[in-house]
Amino acid sequence: MRYPDIEHHGAKDGVTGSCHQLHMDASHSLLIDCGLFQGNETSSDGRAATGRLDIEFSLATVQALVVTHVHIDHVGRIPYLLAAGFKGPIYCSEPSAKLLPIVLEDAFRLGFSRDQKAVERYLKLVEQRLHPLPYQRWSTLLESEELIARVRLQRAGHILGSAYVEVDLAYPGSGENRRIVFSGDLGATHAPLLMPPQSPERADILVLESTYGDRLHEDRAGRRQRLEAVIEHALQDQGTVLIPAFSIGRTQELLYELEEIIHSKLQAHINKPSLNVDEGGSEFANNGSAPHSQSPLPSGERARVRGNNDSSEYGFETNWPQLPVILDSPLATRFTEAYRSLQPYWNQEARERVECGRNPLAFDNLIKIDSHADHIAVVNHLTQTARPAIVIAGNGMCSGGRIVNYLKAMLHDPRHDVLFVGYQARGTTGQAIQQYGPKGGYVDLDGERFGIRARVTSIGGYSAHADQKGLVEFVTGMQQWPTNIRIVHGEQRAKEALAARLRAGYEQMNRPLVNITATNAGHATKPRRQAGLANHASR
């Protein structure tokens, strides 16, 4: 084997389970991420889903784990890594070091034990292993006569704390030096709250994600206008807009964007002279949890402003300043509070909003639901009353979590809307709803079949991933372009499209490219029979 060499233990034939092993020499290697498989990728060769949780590669040479960011498809197998005997340090950015224990506590409770003492022992072990690294500073991991290994983290702009990883390897015996870059997940341009990624100086080998390698996103202004328009249209039916979102990253970006929409609407409302507004407010204290003894939401009229026409379709316009935004996810609430504590890592725009007295992640319309009893009460209230609301609930691909109860209660009713703002992996419930919902299809939830009558809409521009243009610019922004690119973390068509675009760019600029590989495990996934078209007409 010629060193350095890279072995992929996940995200080579799909978009989840990221785990890459960098063999630096015969005796030393690094792991970059150790994530959970999701959707069809949980059983890519017919094994039970739990079969892909096991650590099936040798840990004998692994010196450390480097975490790019704390999404579950990048860190979810860490409990299994520790159980398999890994005893090395876990390196990550300083914000990720604050967020990772929250993620791993949840993963441990779901996969291992809910016993509080066991959870506390596990978290103490994790915290002992954590070694936070500052951005933009080289840290030496290994120094010997045969090998000097250094690592540097740079902002990736994907979620708070996300990083791409530069590994610098020097071989004193031969005088050779190699620079390897692992992109992790790169963020979209102008993502809310986050500083954008800057290309590294150089890379000999680049491991590059390709989630959206075959498409382009709309710009931020366009996507915010579309989000506003979709919600306005959805609420004409006085129903609920359900937004499935992951607890970390997407939820906070959505709250940030919704606060901006509500703020602008409030300014317009203040300056608009003749509106007959119901002055009633929410029965909740602002930014508090819903007490189970009270009605979970104010009456429907409180989120509407009467116009000149009494028609339910045209006679009301959405009263954004009174519209409840319901965050129904205890985990997302914890992450949102953690985000608020990490304001020094926000971008300048977000910090300026705080300085002006605004609360981008804790605004007046925001209602946080904690207990399961309050969750059920809100589901029932929204199902049984004609009152508009926005609900953000986990998980982002609808394969579990509180969003499932909302879907069971509301999918059959055309008053309601399901709005997808993130990637839906093959085999997930979200992907099934996204595919079959517009055709009047059905989906299976917890073994029961539900027809889809709710309107289903997707806004791709809210992806936290860079699009094809952003990925290409990450490469071409380097002073020294990589001669070896391994494309991972994407569907095959996305990887091939990105590879073709990069080849064309190299040829156009007359740059040498030795190798570009769209990794593939060489086997197809088996689709789950969980959704399809029903024998009735589309809505």
Side-chain angles (χ1 to χ4, degrees):
M1 180 185 294
R2 178 174 172 79
Y3 299 102
D5 185 70
I6 301 171
E7 191 175 1
H8 304 286
H9 303 299
K12 61 183 178 180
D13 56 340
V15 296
T16 66
S18 287
C19 186
H20 313 285
Q21 186 173 8
L22 173 62
H23 296 276
M24 301 179 289
D25 62 16
S27 304
H28 305 91
S29 67
L30 289 178
L31 279 186
I32 312 296
D33 290 337
C34 194
L36 200 66
F37 292 96
Q38 295 174 297
N40 278 1
E41 296 169 27
T42 57
S43 187
S44 63
D45 56 1
R47 290 179 292 166
T50 54
R52 300 198 82 182
L53 295 173
D54 299 333
I55 304 301
E56 297 180 334
F57 52 90
S58 172
L59 300 177
T61 67
V62 176
Q63 305 299 301
L65 168 67
V66 184
V67 169
T68 63
H69 66 286
V70 302
H71 272 154
I72 199 71
D73 62 323
H74 289 256
V75 300
R77 277 190 287 167
I78 289 179
Y80 300 88
L81 184 69
L82 298 178
F86 173 71
K87 292 182 171 55
I90 300 173
Y91 294 101
C92 62
S93 72
E94 291 168 323
S96 288
K98 293 183 178 295
L99 298 170
L100 185 59
I102 304 175
V103 177
L104 294 183
E105 177 183 353
D106 188 62
F108 187 83
R109 288 183 187 276
L110 291 175
F112 281 82
S113 173
R114 292 182 178 271
D115 178 75
Q116 186 58 33
K117 290 185 177 180
V119 171
E120 289 173 0
R121 286 195 301 270
Y122 167 71
L123 290 177
K124 185 176 180 180
L125 175 63
V126 169
E127 289 169 358
Q128 290 172 346
R129 302 287 182 84
L130 278 178
H131 290 257
L133 299 179
Y135 286 119
Q136 300 180 319
R137 187 184 302 171
W138 286 107
S139 299
T140 300
L141 304 184
L142 179 67
E143 188 169 7
S144 69
E145 294 182 356
E146 294 80 25
L147 174 66
I148 301 172
R150 300 186 302 157
V151 65
R152 180 167 67 178
L153 303 183
Q154 303 277 20
R155 287 182 175 86
H158 177 62
I159 64 171
L160 201 64
S162 61
Y164 66 83
V165 181
E166 297 179 280
V167 182
D168 190 79
L169 301 179
Y171 299 89
S174 64
E176 186 178 9
N177 179 275
R178 303 285 283 171
R179 179 76 55 83
I180 303 96
V181 174
F182 295 84
S183 74
D185 287 356
L186 296 174
T189 308
H190 305 304
L193 293 165
L194 304 175
M195 300 178 191
Q198 302 293 326
S199 300
E201 300 166 359
R202 68 181 182 91
D204 298 301
I205 303 172
L206 171 64
V207 179
L208 180 64
E209 70 119 324
S210 60
T211 311
Y212 285 96
D214 59 345
R215 68 197 76 177
L216 301 176
H217 298 325
E218 57 190 310
D219 61 30
R220 180 177 171 186
R223 74 185 188 185
R224 206 203 81 181
Q225 291 172 0
R226 192 172 173 214
L227 175 67
E228 181 180 334
V230 166
I231 292 174
E232 289 272 17
H233 183 263
L235 295 175
Q236 294 294 332
D237 293 329
Q238 296 191 337
T240 300
V241 180
L242 300 178
I243 307 179
F246 288 110
S247 298
I248 182 168
R250 190 68 43 76
T251 290
Q252 291 74 35
E253 290 187 9
L254 280 168
L255 294 178
Y256 186 89
E257 294 284 70
L258 289 169
E259 189 274 342
E260 171 61 18
I261 294 172
I262 292 168
H263 177 78
S264 64
K265 294 291 185 180
L266 179 60
Q267 298 307 306
H269 172 71
I270 291 171
N271 297 326
K272 198 168 184 178
S274 56
L275 289 175
N276 177 24
V277 183
D278 183 339
E279 298 296 338
S282 171
E283 295 176 22
F284 293 163
N286 289 335
N287 303 315
S289 297
H292 184 52
S293 60
Q294 298 182 15
S295 173
L297 293 168
S299 63
E301 284 298 302
R302 293 178 181 169
R304 294 284 173 172
V305 177
R306 284 199 177 275
N308 296 324
N309 187 323
D310 286 336
S311 163
S312 62
E313 182 173 1
Y314 301 106
F316 294 95
E317 62 182 37
T318 304
N319 181 7
W320 283 87
Q322 298 275 346
L323 180 69
V325 177
I326 301 167
L327 179 57
D328 193 350
S329 168
L331 189 60
T333 297
R334 290 183 66 188
F335 282 126
T336 301
E337 293 304 317
Y339 258 59
R340 293 179 65 195
S341 73
L342 292 166
Q343 288 182 14
Y345 294 93
W346 292 12
N347 62 22
Q348 183 177 352
E349 176 193 84
R351 293 197 304 271
E352 287 176 353
R353 289 191 186 183
V354 175
E355 291 169 4
C356 291
R358 290 166 60 182
N359 293 302
L361 300 182
F363 47 96
D364 288 346
N365 299 56
L366 184 60
I367 299 170
K368 302 167 187 173
I369 305 299
D370 187 12
S371 73
H372 181 73
D374 287 338
H375 158 67
I376 296 299
V378 170
V379 172
N380 292 336
H381 183 86
L382 293 176
T383 303
Q384 296 165 8
T385 60
R387 77 92 61 263
I390 298 171
V391 172
I392 301 171
N395 68 31
M397 295 186 188
C398 304
S399 54
R402 292 187 175 183
I403 192 66
V404 174
N405 286 330
Y406 285 100
L407 294 171
K408 288 178 179 179
M410 297 181 182
L411 269 182
H412 71 283
D413 189 341
R415 289 189 307 115
H416 304 299
D417 288 68
V418 182
L419 175 58
F420 290 105
V421 293
Y423 183 83
Q424 302 300 307
R426 286 183 300 166
T428 60
T429 303
Q431 187 268 341
I433 295 171
Q434 195 175 50
Q435 178 178 354
Y436 296 109
K439 304 173 185 178
Y442 62 83
V443 67
D444 291 340
L445 299 169
D446 293 338
E448 186 177 353
R449 179 159 297 179
F450 293 83
I452 305 171
R453 289 293 173 273
R455 185 186 294 109
V456 178
T457 309
S458 300
I459 302 181
Y462 272 93
S463 171
H465 289 267
D467 61 4
Q468 185 187 81
K469 181 174 182 289
L471 294 168
V472 170
E473 289 178 348
F474 182 76
V475 177
T476 59
M478 299 184 196
Q479 296 177 17
Q480 178 183 318
W481 292 12
T483 55
N484 190 327
I485 301 177
R486 296 199 180 189
I487 300 178
V488 298
H489 200 288
E491 304 288 357
Q492 195 61 26
R493 64 179 182 276
K495 289 188 286 191
E496 291 172 355
L498 179 59
R501 179 67 187 85
L502 286 169
R503 288 191 190 98
Y506 270 71
E507 291 175 5
Q508 183 178 358
M509 299 301 295
N510 196 28
R511 297 281 187 134
L513 179 61
V514 175
N515 186 36
I516 183 167
T517 306
T519 60
N520 193 333
H523 56 259
T525 59
K526 294 186 177 182
R528 296 177 177 178
R529 192 179 186 280
Q530 63 168 7
L533 294 179
N535 295 321
H536 42 63
S538 300
R539 180 168 63 88

